[in-house]
Amino acid sequence: MKKISLSEMSVKGKRVFVRVDFNVPLNEKQEVTDDTRIKASLPTLRYLVDEGAKILCASHLGRPKGEKKPEFSLKPVAERLSQLLNREVKFAGETIGPEVESLKAQLKDGDILLLENLRFNPGETENDEQFAKELARNIDIYINDAFGASHRAHASIQKITEFVPVAGAGFLLKKEIDFLNMATENPPKNYTVLLGGAKVSDKIPVITNLLEKAQKILIGGAMAHTFLRAKGFDVGNSIVEDDFIAVCKDIIKKAEEKNIKLLLPIDHVAAIKIEPEVTIRMIKKGKDIPENMMGLDIGFETIELYCQELKDAELIVWNGPMGVFEIENFAAGTMEIAKAVAESSATTIIGGGDSVSAINKAGVADKVTHISTGGGASLEFLSGKKLPGIESLSEA
Ligand code: ADP
Ligand code: MG
C-alpha cells in the first residue's frame, strides 16, 4: 500500500471511499442541529467532485451498537450535505451488500453516494476483517478525513486500509495532523498550554507528554483541585481525584526540575452546589475553599494572572474549560480566557468537545487558528499516542 497525499493523487474516474466524521447531533424530528462536522468535510469532497472522482462517503453516527436503528440514520445528513454542496447526494440505506454494489457501479464521475451509518453493522467497532473487505470492494482509493474517529481501531478507519490499493489523508485530517504536530513536535519556545475541564485523570497523559515541550502550563477547571490538594491546600467539596494526588505531586516536582512554569488558580468562585440559582462566594487569593463549598470557576486574580501569562506566547494550546461555564455564575473564567486566547497574536489551537462549545459561546471561534474537530482524538494526539487511523495510512 502506498501513502501519498490527496492533492498528489490522480482521482479522475476512480472510485474513492472517503471516511468522514458525520457524527452530528440530530433532534427528535431527525434534523441536523449542528452541521459543523459536515462543513469540515467540504474541502475534500468538493475537491473530489471537481476532479471527477466517483465518491463514496461513509461515517458513523451515535452509538446504535451494531443494530439498524432508524433514529441514527444518516439520511438527514445526506440531505444537508446535498444543500451544502449544491448537488445531488445519493443515499444508500445500507453499508455493504448487492444493493450498495450496484449503486457503486452506477456512479458517474463527480457523483456522491453516502452510505448508511457504519455502526449499524457490528463489524465496524469490532474492526472486523470481513466487513472491512466488503467496504473496500471495488474501491480504488481510500481517504481518511475523519479525524474525530481516528483514535478508534474500527473497520472503516483501520482494517479497510489493508484491502485497498492506496490509502491517504483527506484535507481535514491533514490539517489536524499539521496543527497538532506543531503542539507536540518541536513547538516554539514560548509555548503555553492551558488545561482545565472535569477530570484530572483524563488529562494526565497530556500533561506528562507536554511537560517535555511547553514553557508554561496554566491549570484551571475541576482538575486544578487535585493539584491544589497535592500542594497542601484545602479545597472543600471540590471535585478531587484522590488516587491522582500523588501523580500531581510528581508532575509539580518534574515541572520545577525542568524549569517549567506550572500555575494553579490563586483565587476561586465557589458555591455549595452546581446549580444556576445558588449563592456564590469569592474565595480570596491564597485562601482555602471552605469545607462545605466547591470551587466552580477560577477567580478574578487568576484570570488576570493567566491572561498576563498568555501575552508573550507564540503558541497556545487549550483543552478544558476553566470552570462550569455552562452556568452563567461560573462562566467568567472560561469566557475571559477564551477572549484572551482569541485576541492573542500566537498560533492558537483548541481541542476538546466542551472547550469548543466554550469558545463558540464566547463568540470568538473565528479568531482561533485551529479548532480541532476531534475531542477524544485530539486528547490522544496531544498525549503523544499513535492514532490507528493515522498510523494505518503510513504503514506502507
Ligand atoms: P473537554 O470536553 O473540552 O475536553 P472536559 O470534558 O474535560 O473538557 O471538561 C468539561 C467539563 O468540566 C464541563 O462540563 C465543565 O462544567 C466541567 N468543569 C469545569 N470546571 C469545573 C469545576 N471547577 N467543577 C466541576 N466541573 C467543572
Ligand atoms: Mg468533554
Side-chain angles (χ1 to χ4, degrees), residues 148-371:
S150 290
H151 57 315
R152 309 274 186 218
H154 289 174
S156 67
I157 294 285
Q158 190 184 52
K159 209 51 158 182
I160 189 171
T161 60
E162 294 171 21
F163 305 108
V164 289
V166 183
F171 298 134
L172 174 64
L173 182 64
K174 179 154 189 315
K175 188 166 157 239
E176 292 274 8
I177 296 172
D178 289 347
F179 274 108
L180 292 170
N181 264 337
M182 207 189 282
T184 49
E185 312 280 332
N186 304 313
K189 190 176 152 287
N190 293 330
Y191 174 19
T192 300
V193 177
L194 263 166
L195 281 176
K199 287 167 79 184
V200 75
S201 50
D202 281 352
K203 312 286 161 99
I204 294 289
V206 178
I207 307 182
T208 311
N209 188 40
L210 297 184
L211 206 48
E212 306 288 327
K213 288 135 187 160
Q215 182 196 40
K216 295 178 194 170
I217 300 182
L218 315 180
I219 296 182
M223 66 178 280
H225 299 294
T226 306
F227 275 97
L228 287 166
R229 282 285 290 115
K231 281 207 141 184
F233 287 98
D234 282 334
V235 296
N237 268 341
S238 305
I239 298 173
V240 170
E241 286 174 83
D242 289 324
D243 295 349
F244 285 85
I245 294 175
V247 185
C248 290
K249 276 188 185 154
D250 199 45
I251 289 171
I252 292 167
K253 188 162 146 257
K254 283 214 181 91
E256 272 164 18
E257 284 164 9
K258 290 178 197 285
N259 227 347
I260 291 161
K261 220 172 186 178
L262 186 136
L263 297 183
L264 298 173
I266 50 175
D267 61 346
H268 316 272
V269 180
I272 53 165
K273 52 189 170 183
I274 307 180
E275 266 176 24
E277 304 303 330
V278 72
T279 308
I280 61 167
R281 186 155 138 198
M282 302 298 180
I283 311 297
K284 292 255 158 57
K285 184 173 170 183
K287 294 268 186 276
D288 286 336
I289 296 169
E291 219 175 310
N292 60 338
M293 300 200 117
M294 309 173 80
L296 297 173
D297 193 12
I298 56 175
F300 294 123
E301 296 209 43
T302 307
I303 295 176
E304 210 179 299
L305 172 71
Y306 285 8
C307 290
Q308 197 57 40
E309 292 292 344
L310 288 173
K311 284 221 162 92
D312 59 354
E314 287 172 72
L315 174 65
I316 301 171
V317 172
W318 182 15
N319 168 268
M322 296 289 110
V324 182
F325 73 99
E326 298 91 337
I327 295 176
E328 221 42 56
N329 276 335
F330 312 115
T334 306
M335 295 300 115
E336 292 307 312
I337 295 294
K339 284 179 210 154
V341 169
E343 277 156 25
S344 164
S345 59
T347 299
T348 50
I349 301 174
I350 296 186
D354 294 292
S355 310
V356 175
S357 318
I359 200 86
N360 283 323
K361 191 174 174 201
V364 291
D366 57 332
K367 295 204 180 101
V368 175
T369 317
H370 179 67
I371 296 184

Side-chain angles (χ1 to χ4, degrees), residues 45-93:
L45 296 180
R46 282 205 181 108
Y47 174 83
L48 290 169
V49 168
D50 292 346
E51 295 288 312
K54 301 179 163 91
I55 308 152
L56 268 107
C57 267
S59 177
H60 72 284
L61 191 156
R63 294 173 187 266
K65 308 229 162 100
E67 281 171 49
K68 192 163 185 166
K69 293 191 182 145
E71 67 272 30
F72 294 107
S73 173
L74 277 164
K75 183 106 202 292
V77 175
E79 284 157 25
R80 179 60 65 92
L81 179 62
S82 167
Q83 288 162 3
L84 290 169
L85 284 170
N86 197 17
R87 65 187 295 123
E88 188 195 359
V89 171
K90 297 186 172 73
F91 183 67

